[in-house]
Amino acid sequence: MLNNVTDGEEGDGGPNSQGDGNPKESSPFINSTGSSDVEKSQQYDGKNMALFEEEMDTVPMVSSLLSSLANYSNLPQGSKEHEEAENNEETRKKPATQAPQLGTVMGVYLPCLQNILGVILFLRMTWLVGIGGVMGTFIIVFMCCSTTMLTAISMSAIATNGVVPAGGSYYMISRSLGPEFGGAVGICFYLGTTFAGAMYILGCIEILLIYIVPAAAIFKMEGLEGPEAEAALLNNMRVYGTIVLSLMALVVFVGVKYVNKLALVFLACVILSILAVYAGVIKSSFDPPFFPVCVLGNRSLLSKGFDVCAKTIEQANGTVTTKLWKMFCDSEFLNATCDEFFTNNNVSIIQGIPGVTSGILAENLFGTYLEKGDIIEKRGVPSFSDPESPLTNLNRYVQADISTFWTLLVGIYFPSVTGIMAGSNRSGDLRDAQKSIPIGTILAITTTSIIYMSCVILFGACVEGMVLRDKFGEGVNGNLVIGTLAWPSPWVIVIGSFFSTCGAGLQSLTGAPRLMQAIARDSIIPFLRVFGHGKANGEPTWALLLTASICEIGIIIASLDAVAPILSMFFLMCYMFVNLACALQTLLRTPNWRPRFKFYHWALSFLGMSLCLTLMFLCSWYYALVAMVIAGCIYKYIEFCGAEKEWGDGIRGISLSAARFALMRLEEGPPHTKNWRPQILVLVNMDAEQNVEQPRLLSLTNQLKAGKGLTIVGTSVEGTYLTNNLQAQKAEQSVKKLMESEKVKGFCQVVISSNLRDATSHLIQVSGLGGLRHNTVLVSWPRNWKQGEEHHRMKNFIEIVRETTAGHLALIVPKNIAAYPSNGERFTEGHIDVWWIVHDGGMLMLLPFLLRQHKVWRKCKMRIFTVAQMDDNSIQMKKDLMTFLYHLRLDAEVEVVELQDSDISAYTYEKTLVMEQRSQILKEMHLTKNEREREIQSITDVSRGSIRRKHPTTLRSQQSTGEETASASGEGKPEEEVQLLQGKNASATPTSPTSPSVTTPGSTTPGEETQMTWTDDGDKGKNPAVANPDNIKDMFNMKPEWENLNQSNVRRMHHAQKLNDIIVKKSSDAKLVLLNMPGPPRNRMGDENYMEFMEVLTEGLNRVLLVRGGGREVITIYS
C-alpha cells in the first residue's frame, strides 16, 4: 500500500507537484513528490506495476487512492478547502488542531431551532396576528416557511454533493455560482447574520427594560409622552445593547464550546416557553384566565394611569370619582368639565383572553391596519363621538406606534425564519456535514413551521383582537401579551424569551465570524485577507472584532422593527442564490452533480428562488434595491480586483451552454451587413525568446476593436508537438500577457507545425469555432523582405494574401507598424486619409470610423480621396461621393484627384529593369546566402548610377511604331500577374472582390530606405539621356534592354509611381493613410515584383494601412 499523504489536505498541488502543471487539478488526495526515484523504485518493486511506474507521480495506484480516502476526515473549521491546492507555507507549518466535532442534533437541529424560534415569536407574533388578522398572518407565515423549506431542500442537495468545509452557505454558493457571485452573496449573508445578532440583542434589551426591570432604564421614561418617550426608550436600547454585545463577544471569544454549553441552557428555556404557551391554550379552553382590559367606549385605555376601571365608585360617604375621572376631567368633583368622548361613553371591562372555545377567532380572522397615532379600538362595540370635534387626551389611550400594512408585516416577520443556516454556517464543527445539514435543517424547519402556523391560529382563537394589537402591553399593565396566555405563569415566557434572544444572539456572533473567515481565506476580496487570521486553534479573532463592530451599527439603529427588514433583504438574497445554484446544477447536468440527497427538483428550486425575489420586494422595494446594489458592487470588485479562481462553478457551466446555443444559432447563416464588424485574426511573429516581435500590432487591434467582437491572436512554433509543447506554452503565455497589457479582449492560439508556412495556413483555416470565426486577417508588412534570411517571410506573406483571397477574408496590412501610436498616445489633430481607388465592399470607409471610436484617433478628421481618369466627370464624382457618405452617416472631407495621362518615365523603365533582373538572377542562380546578398548589393550599386529617384525627370518618349509594336506584343502576351490597381486607361469601377489577409508588424529600416533611393545627387550627370534632353529620341538606342521588358510590369510600375507621387503630395501630413491593396500575382514567379510594386506605391509615407475587402458589402446606407 502506497501511503504518501502529507499534512492532510495541505499536501495537494504544492510548488513541486508534478503532472499537468495545473496545481488546482493535480492529485486532490495524494502528493507523491516527496519520494526520491530510489524510493519509488522500491515502492513499486514487486507490485506488478511496471507498465505504469513512470506515471506514478501523476497517476497514483488505486490502493493508494482508496487508502487516502479512507483516512480522509472532514476539514477542521477554518482550514482550506480540499480542492484548493494553493498551499501556504505559513499554514503548513502550523500544527493541525481539532475543533469540536458535533452531530446532527447538537450541531444543526438545535442551533437552527434556537435561531428560528427567536425574538419575533415572543415579541411580535401576537401583534402580527392582531394587525394582519389570522388569514393575512397565516399567508405570511406559509409563504416564509415555504421559502425556507424550498431553500433547505436546495441547500441539502448542494451540501450532499461533496465535502462542505467551514463557511457553510458561503462555500456552497461560491463553489456553485463562482467566486464573484459567491463573494457577493457571501458578504450579504454575513451582513445579514451580523444584523440578526443586533436584532436578537435589541429584543433581549426590550424584554429586559419593558417587561422585567423597567426601573433599570438609564433614561427615565416616567412622565414622558410621545416622541420624547420614544427617544428615551431608544437611548436605553443603545446603551444596554452595547453592553450586552460586548459581553456576548467576550463569550464567543473564549471559545465555541462554551457557546454550545450555554446554548443548551438557552434552548431549554425556549422549549419550556413554547410548551407553556400550548399549556395555556389548552387551559383556556375550559378555564380561561382572568385578564381584564379597561375600555372607554371602544377605545383601549393606558393601564398605568389608573387603578380602578370605572368613572366613579360607591363608598359609604356616597359617590367618589376615580383616578380615571381625573385623567379626563379638570377636577375630581362630579360637576367638573370632562372630555366630550369621556362624557358620552361608558367605561367597561372586557375579557382579554376569552379562551379557545369563545369563538373570538371569527372576529380576528381579518386584519386591522393602522396609521401611526391611531387609537387601538375594539371591533363591534359602539361609541359615541362627534366626528367633527378634534381628538383630545390622546395620551390616555393605547396608540399605534407605526403605520402598518401587509408588506411591512412580511418584512418584520421574515427574520423569524432566517435561522435555517445556523447549522451550515458551523459546518466546520460538524462530524459529518453531508448527513447532518440536510436532516437537521429540514427537521428544524418542519418543527418551527408547525409551531408558527399553530401559534397564528391559536393566538387568534384565544386572545381579544384589541389586546393582540397592543404591541407593548400598555393596556394590560405592561405585561407581555403572549406571557398572559402562558401557564402556569407569565414569567415563564418572559424569562424564556429573554434567554432565547440571548442564545440566538450568541449563535449569530458565532456563525458570522466563521463566515467572514472563510471568505477571507479564499482571498477573493484582497482587503479582507487580514480577517482570515485567528487564534492558534482556528478561532476567528479578527473576524469576530469586525462582526461586533458591524453589529454595533444595528444596535445604534435601536429599533427592532427598523432592523428586521434590513437583515431580511440579505437573507433573502442568499436564499435566492442557493436556489439558483441548485436549479442551475440540476438543469446543466454537470457530471460532478451527484448529490446524495435525492428529494430535490429544479422546479422546486426555481419556485423557491421566485418566492425569495417576491418577498424581497414585498418587504421593502428600496431595501431590496440597496441590497442588490451592494451585491453588484462586490461582484464587480471581485471581478476586476479579486484573485482569479476556478471552482468549476455553475455560472461557467451556463456560460458554456449559452455559448453552444449562440454558436448553433450563428451557424444558421452569415451576418447581415448591418451587423458586420471585423472579427480579427491577428498573426504575430515570435522572437527566439518567444516574445512578440511587433507589440504595436496588438495596440492597433485594440484601437480597431475597442473591446467589441472577436479577436484571435495567432502565432506559430516550428517543430513537433511532443518536443516543442513547452515552447508553445511559453509563447502562449507571452501573447496573453501582451494582450492583457494592451487590453485586447480575445483568445490566443498557438500552432506547432514542421514549418511556419503550414502553421500560418492552419491558423487561417481553423481558428474560431462554428459561426464564431474570423472574417478579417491582420498581418504586418514583412520587415526587411529583400534580405536573404527574410526571404521566407516574404513568401509566407504572399501566401497569406492568396489564402485570404481564396477564403473570402478581409485583409489589413499595416506598413511600418513600429511608427503606429500606442494606446496611451493621443492625436490632438490631424487627418486619416482614405485613398479609395477600387471598391472593396466598404472596408476603407468602415475602418477609419472604427478607429475614430478610440481615444487615440478620436480627434482626427477623415478625408476621402478618389482617383478620376481623364474621361471621368470629376465634379459629378465628387457630388455622388458626398451623397454616398451622407447616406452612410460618415463625416469626411471629399476630394477627387484626376490622374493625368503621361508617358512612362526613364526612371520607371530603369526601376522595372532592375526589379526583373534581380528576380531573374535569384531564380536562375542557386547561390548561398552570403553570395545572394553580395549579388543583390552589386545589382543595387549598378542601378544607382543610372536612376535618379529623389527628383525624377519625366522623359516623354515619342509614339514611334517600334513602341506601338512593343506595346502590342506586350499586350498580346498572357498576363502573368493580377493588375496592380487600375491600368493606365482603366476607369474607377469596382473590381472583383478581394480577400483580407493577416498582418505581421514590420517597419522600414535604414537599409531599405537606401535601396529605395535609387540615385544619389552626385550621379545626376552619369546618365546622358537624363543630362541632355536632346537625346530623348535616341533613348531606346542607348537602352536597348528596355525593349525586352514585360510591358505589364512597366505599366504597373508606372501606375504605382504616379499614384505614389499624388498620395505623397496630398497626404504627407496625414496621421494615417489607408489604401486599397492590390491582389497577389497568379503566377508565383512574380512574387518579388509584387512586393516591389507595393514598396513603390507606399514610399515616403509614414503610416500606411493596406486594405483588401473580403468580397462582401460591410457597410450599408440602410437602418
Side-chain angles (χ1 to χ4, degrees):
M1 180 74 67
L2 175 61
N3 268 328
N4 48 4
V5 182
T6 60
D7 295 333
E9 280 65 51
E10 293 292 339
D12 314 337
N16 301 321
S17 59
Q18 305 297 317
D20 59 0
N22 183 359
K24 294 179 181 177
E25 300 294 337
S26 61
S27 309
F29 297 106
I30 295 181
N31 182 1
S32 54
T33 59
S35 306
S36 65
D37 293 338
V38 177
E39 291 170 343
K40 290 175 189 171
S41 62
Q42 293 172 353
Q43 289 169 341
Y44 304 138
D45 225 12
K47 295 186 183 296
N48 301 321
M49 297 297 287
L51 283 175
F52 300 95
E53 62 184 13
E54 293 184 357
E55 299 180 274
M56 280 297 168
D57 286 344
T58 56
V59 186
M61 287 192 298
V62 174
S63 58
S64 175
L65 179 64
L66 293 177
S67 172
S68 66
L69 287 172
N71 295 330
Y72 180 79
S73 61
N74 193 13
L75 294 169
Q77 172 268 324
S79 297
K80 277 190 170 65
E81 290 73 22
H82 67 283
E83 93 267 23
E84 190 70 35
E86 300 166 356
N87 286 327
N88 187 324
E89 291 297 329
E90 179 184 348
T91 57
R92 182 179 290 186
K93 292 174 184 177
K94 292 181 181 178
T97 57
Q98 188 68 23
Q101 297 295 298
L102 305 172
T104 302
V105 175
M106 286 291 297
V108 180
Y109 180 75
L110 295 183
C112 285
L113 208 64
Q114 185 174 351
N115 266 26
I116 296 172
L117 297 175
V119 61
I120 301 296
L121 173 64
F122 298 116
L123 294 184
R124 294 291 182 270
M125 182 58 83
T126 52
W127 177 76
L128 289 170
V129 175
I131 296 292
V134 173
M135 288 186 63
T137 310
F138 189 87
I139 291 172
I140 294 174
V141 173
F142 182 77
M143 281 180 61
C144 295
C145 291
S146 299
T147 302
T148 53
M149 180 59 78
L150 292 172
T151 303
I153 291 172
S154 299
M155 184 181 69
S156 299
I158 299 172
T160 58
N161 191 50
V163 179
V164 180
S169 53
Y170 157 72
Y171 182 92
M172 291 185 288
I173 296 170
S174 61
R175 269 50 176 187
S176 299
L177 295 179
E180 293 88 2
F181 274 112
V185 180
I187 291 294
C188 285
F189 187 59
Y190 165 76
L191 293 175
T193 307
T194 305
F195 275 106
M199 184 188 73
Y200 292 129
I201 292 172
L202 289 175
C204 169
I205 303 305
E206 184 177 312
I207 294 169
L208 182 71
L209 292 181
I210 295 180
Y211 304 114
I212 300 180
V213 278
I218 297 175
F219 298 89
K220 300 299 181 182
M221 293 179 285
E222 298 295 334
L224 299 178
E225 298 175 356
E228 295 178 352
E230 184 178 351
L233 175 62
L234 295 182
N235 288 331
N236 284 320
M237 304 277 274
R238 293 182 181 110
V239 173
Y240 279 100
T242 304
I243 296 171
V244 172
L245 173 63
S246 303
L247 293 174
M248 286 187 175
L250 184 62
V251 172
V252 173
F253 177 77
V254 170
V256 68
K257 59 182 179 180
Y258 299 105
V259 175
N260 289 330
K261 289 178 180 178
L262 289 172
L264 280 177
V265 178
F266 296 151
L267 183 62
C269 295
V270 174
I271 294 173
L272 285 175
S273 300
I274 294 171
L275 292 177
V277 171
Y278 281 110
V281 169
I282 295 171
K283 179 177 180 294
S284 73
S285 62
F286 58 87
D287 183 18
F290 177 68
F291 192 67
V293 179
C294 191
V295 177
L296 175 61
N298 62 353
R299 298 177 181 178
S300 177
L301 294 170
L302 285 175
S303 58
K304 65 180 180 180
F306 59 92
D307 51 358
V308 178
C309 185
K311 294 181 180 181
T312 60
I313 55 174
E314 296 294 334
Q315 290 186 353
N317 303 347
T319 304
V320 180
T321 58
T322 63
K323 289 184 178 180
L324 184 61
W325 178 280
K326 297 174 184 177
M327 289 170 58
F328 290 93
C329 300
D330 57 3
S331 71
E332 60 182 15
F333 303 107
L334 292 175
N335 60 353
T337 303
C338 297
D339 181 84
E340 183 180 357
F341 187 85
F342 181 77
T343 305
N344 296 335
N345 293 273
N346 294 323
V347 175
S348 60
I349 295 177
I350 62 170
Q351 174 65 304
I353 302 179
V356 73
T357 58
S358 64
I360 196 69
L361 179 63
E363 184 181 322
N364 293 332
L365 208 54
F366 301 102
T368 304
Y369 299 100
L370 304 172
E371 295 294 325
K372 184 175 181 179
D374 284 356
I375 299 172
I376 295 176
E377 299 176 344
K378 175 172 171 54
R379 284 179 178 173
V381 175
S383 64
F384 303 95
S385 62
D386 185 359
E388 295 182 0
S389 63
L391 295 175
T392 56
N393 292 304
L394 289 177
N395 55 348
R396 312 302 185 194
Y397 305 106
V398 179
Q399 295 174 270
D401 64 326
I402 56 173
S403 298
T404 52
F405 38 90
W406 189 76
T407 54
L408 174 74
L409 304 185
V410 177
I412 293 176
Y413 172 74
F414 188 80
S416 65
V417 296
T418 55
I420 65 170
M421 293 198 175
S424 63
N425 282 347
R426 301 161 71 249
S427 54
D429 300 328
L430 300 175
R431 188 180 304 115
D432 184 359
Q434 287 198 40
K435 177 183 176 183
S436 298
I437 290 175
I439 296 175
T441 305
I442 291 177
L443 279 179
I445 292 174
T446 304
T447 305
T448 53
S449 297
I450 293 171
I451 292 173
Y452 279 132
M453 291 179 187
S454 62
C455 282
V456 169
I457 297 172
L458 294 176
F459 290 165
C462 293
V463 185
E464 166 62 45
M466 187 176 61
V467 177
L468 290 174
R469 288 185 285 277
D470 188 355
K471 182 189 289 186
F472 300 109
E474 294 173 301
V476 288
N477 298 314
N479 289 322
L480 186 61
V481 175
I482 191 176
T484 59
L485 182 62
W487 180 86
S489 168
W491 285 101
V492 175
I493 293 291
V494 173
I495 301 300
S497 59
F498 176 76
F499 283 114
S500 164
T501 51
C502 289
L506 281 172
Q507 293 292 341
S508 296
L509 291 179
T510 303
R514 280 164 172 68
L515 185 57
M516 173 53 68
Q517 187 180 46
I519 297 172
R521 287 188 171 178
D522 270 340
S523 298
I524 58 173
I525 303 177
F527 68 84
L528 292 180
R529 287 176 185 160
V530 65
F531 299 109
H533 304 296
K535 294 193 293 187
N537 64 350
E539 289 296 320
T541 309
W542 289 104
L544 175 62
L545 186 61
L546 176 67
T547 302
S549 302
I550 297 174
C551 195
E552 179 64 23
I553 296 174
I555 300 295
I556 291 172
I557 295 174
S559 172
L560 189 147
D561 297 323
V563 172
I566 297 175
L567 61 100
S568 295
M569 292 304 115
F570 293 129
F571 280 122
L572 280 166
M573 184 170 289
C574 177
Y575 297 167
M576 181 175 70
F577 280 101
V578 168
N579 285 297
L580 175 62
C582 181
L584 279 184
Q585 299 279 31
T586 306
L587 288 174
L588 293 174
R589 295 189 178 92
T590 49
N592 192 50
W593 180 245
R594 302 184 300 274
R596 293 185 179 277
F597 182 81
K598 301 299 182 184
F599 306 101
Y600 69 94
H601 192 271
W602 65 266
L604 294 176
S605 298
F606 267 118
L607 179 60
M609 186 179 68
S610 304
L611 278 172
C612 289
L613 194 61
T614 303
L615 287 173
M616 282 181 69
F617 284 92
L618 280 179
C619 292
S620 174
W621 64 268
Y622 46 89
Y623 277 161
L625 292 179
V626 169
M628 288 180 173
V629 167
I630 292 173
C633 292
I634 299 170
Y635 179 97
K636 298 306 291 184
Y637 177 81
I638 296 173
E639 186 178 37
F640 287 111
C641 305
E644 293 184 4
K645 300 285 181 181
E646 175 49 61
W647 287 328
D649 52 84
I651 293 299
R652 186 174 180 84
I654 199 171
S655 299
L656 289 172
S657 296
R660 181 184 65 84
F661 176 77
L663 286 173
M664 298 300 291
R665 288 289 302 274
L666 285 176
E667 285 286 278
E668 295 176 4
H672 191 273
T673 302
K674 291 186 290 187
N675 297 326
W676 195 94
R677 67 166 65 244
Q679 315 287 6
I680 299 180
L681 170 63
V682 188
L683 295 181
V684 297
N685 292 329
M686 312 298 289
D687 58 19
E689 299 297 325
Q690 299 305 323
N691 294 317
V692 178
E693 288 185 353
Q694 307 100 347
R696 288 293 170 87
L697 200 58
L698 290 183
S699 302
L700 177 62
T701 304
N702 174 268
Q703 294 158 25
L704 275 171
K705 300 293 292 181
K708 303 294 190 300
L710 172 71
T711 302
I712 302 174
V713 181
T715 188
S716 50
V717 174
E718 192 170 3
T720 63
Y721 185 77
L722 293 178
T723 57
N724 297 93
N725 190 30
L726 290 178
Q727 189 180 359
Q729 290 181 5
K730 184 178 178 182
E732 183 177 5
Q733 292 301 319
S734 176
V735 171
K736 285 183 176 179
K737 185 176 180 181
L738 182 61
M739 290 174 67
E740 184 178 353
S741 65
E742 294 292 342
K743 298 181 180 178
V744 175
K745 295 181 181 179
F747 308 99
C748 172
Q749 193 163 358
V750 181
V751 172
I752 305 174
S753 182
S754 56
N755 61 81
L756 297 181
R757 171 81 284 278
D758 288 346
T760 306
S761 179
H762 295 158
L763 279 171
I764 294 175
Q765 292 178 63
V766 303
S767 292
L769 180 63
L772 191 66
R773 298 193 70 248
H774 57 279
N775 55 27
T776 305
V777 178
L778 178 62
V779 60
S780 71
W781 183 262
R783 185 171 53 186
N784 304 332
W785 63 270
K786 295 179 183 178
Q787 298 179 6
E789 65 271 15
E790 299 292 330
H791 191 256
H792 70 284
R793 291 198 176 184
M794 184 269 290
K795 288 291 185 185
N796 187 37
F797 175 77
I798 299 290
E799 291 304 311
I800 289 172
V801 179
R802 290 194 175 101
E803 287 170 352
T804 52
T805 303
H808 300 291
L809 303 173
L811 175 65
I812 304 174
V813 182
K815 194 167 183 289
N816 194 17
I817 186 66
Y820 278 67
S822 67
N823 291 328
E825 297 180 39
R826 303 284 185 276
F827 288 131
T828 56
E829 58 182 1
H831 294 91
I832 299 176
D833 286 357
V834 176
W835 284 84
W836 193 25
I837 301 167
V838 296
H839 185 55
D840 57 356
M843 278 289 290
L844 279 175
M845 306 290 185
L846 185 62
L847 292 180
F849 171 76
L850 294 176
L851 283 173
R852 292 181 67 232
Q853 305 304 305
H854 196 275
K855 50 193 173 184
V856 173
W857 304 92
R858 187 167 294 156
K859 295 188 178 180
C860 292
K861 296 181 179 179
M862 184 175 166
R863 295 190 300 194
I864 297 181
F865 298 89
T866 188
V867 177
Q869 303 300 318
M870 286 299 294
D871 53 352
D872 291 330
N873 185 340
S874 58
I875 298 176
Q876 187 62 38
M877 280 182 65
K878 182 173 182 178
K879 289 176 64 179
D880 294 342
L881 182 54
M882 290 177 69
T883 303
F884 181 56
L885 292 176
Y886 174 78
H887 288 303
L888 287 177
R889 291 92 64 201
L890 294 176
D891 296 325
E893 299 176 21
V894 175
E895 186 172 344
V896 177
V897 179
E898 293 186 357
L899 193 63
Q900 303 289 337
D901 284 340
S902 61
D903 293 332
I904 301 172
S905 65
Y907 160 72
T908 302
Y909 278 111
E910 199 64 57
K911 178 119 180 178
T912 308
L913 175 64
V914 173
M915 177 185 72
E916 291 193 353
Q917 285 177 344
R918 182 175 59 203
S919 299
Q920 189 64 27
I921 290 172
L922 291 175
K923 291 169 188 171
E924 293 179 355
M925 299 177 63
H926 300 286
L927 303 176
T928 66
K929 177 180 175 182
N930 293 332
E931 290 171 334
R932 187 176 300 161
E933 290 178 0
R934 285 197 298 271
E935 185 66 27
I936 293 173
Q937 188 61 43
S938 65
I939 293 173
T940 305
D941 293 340
V942 171
S943 70
R944 285 177 178 166
S946 57
I947 300 177
R948 181 176 171 226
R949 177 65 186 91
K950 288 184 178 177
H951 303 285
T953 304
T954 304
L955 302 177
R956 298 181 177 276
S957 57
Q958 297 183 357
Q959 302 296 329
S960 62
T961 308
E963 258 188 286
E964 293 173 357
T965 307
S967 177
S969 64
E971 291 172 0
K973 296 178 183 178
E975 289 197 2
E976 298 176 348
E977 302 170 5
V978 177
Q979 186 173 353
L980 172 62
L981 286 171
Q982 296 287 348
K984 175 179 176 183
N985 298 320
S987 61
T989 55
T991 61
S992 59
T994 56
S995 31
S997 67
V998 186
T999 328
T1000 324
S1003 58
T1004 305
T1005 63
E1008 281 187 70
E1009 292 172 359
T1010 302
Q1011 293 176 2
M1012 293 297 295
T1013 308
W1014 294 88
T1015 306
D1016 295 331
D1017 292 342
D1019 298 334
K1020 290 179 182 177
K1022 294 183 180 180
N1023 190 335
V1026 176
N1028 188 359
D1030 297 335
N1031 294 337
I1032 293 176
K1033 294 181 180 179
D1034 300 327
M1035 173 105 37
F1036 284 106
N1037 294 329
M1038 296 183 64
K1039 293 289 183 181
E1041 61 270 28
W1042 288 0
E1043 299 178 2
N1044 300 323
L1045 291 177
N1046 185 320
Q1047 293 303 306
S1048 176
N1049 286 342
V1050 174
R1051 288 200 317 275
R1052 289 184 174 87
M1053 186 65 76
H1054 176 58
H1055 194 199
Q1057 179 58 41
K1058 286 185 64 179
L1059 275 176
N1060 178 256
D1061 289 342
I1062 297 173
I1063 295 171
V1064 170
K1065 179 180 177 182
K1066 297 284 186 180
S1067 302
S1068 58
D1069 61 339
K1071 301 299 183 185
L1072 179 66
V1073 177
L1074 282 83
L1075 280 173
N1076 288 113
M1077 185 177 183
R1082 293 196 183 98
N1083 191 333
R1084 285 179 168 78
M1085 303 299 287
D1087 287 355
E1088 291 84 358
N1089 298 346
Y1090 175 75
M1091 299 294 288
E1092 194 68 59
F1093 294 144
M1094 294 293 96
E1095 290 285 5
V1096 172
L1097 180 64
T1098 58
E1099 185 180 1
L1101 299 172
N1102 186 24
R1103 302 184 192 93
V1104 183
L1105 207 59
L1106 299 170
V1107 180
R1108 279 175 62 76
R1112 61 162 294 166
E1113 294 294 330
V1114 301
I1115 195 167
T1116 178
I1117 65 174
Y1118 299 105
S1119 62

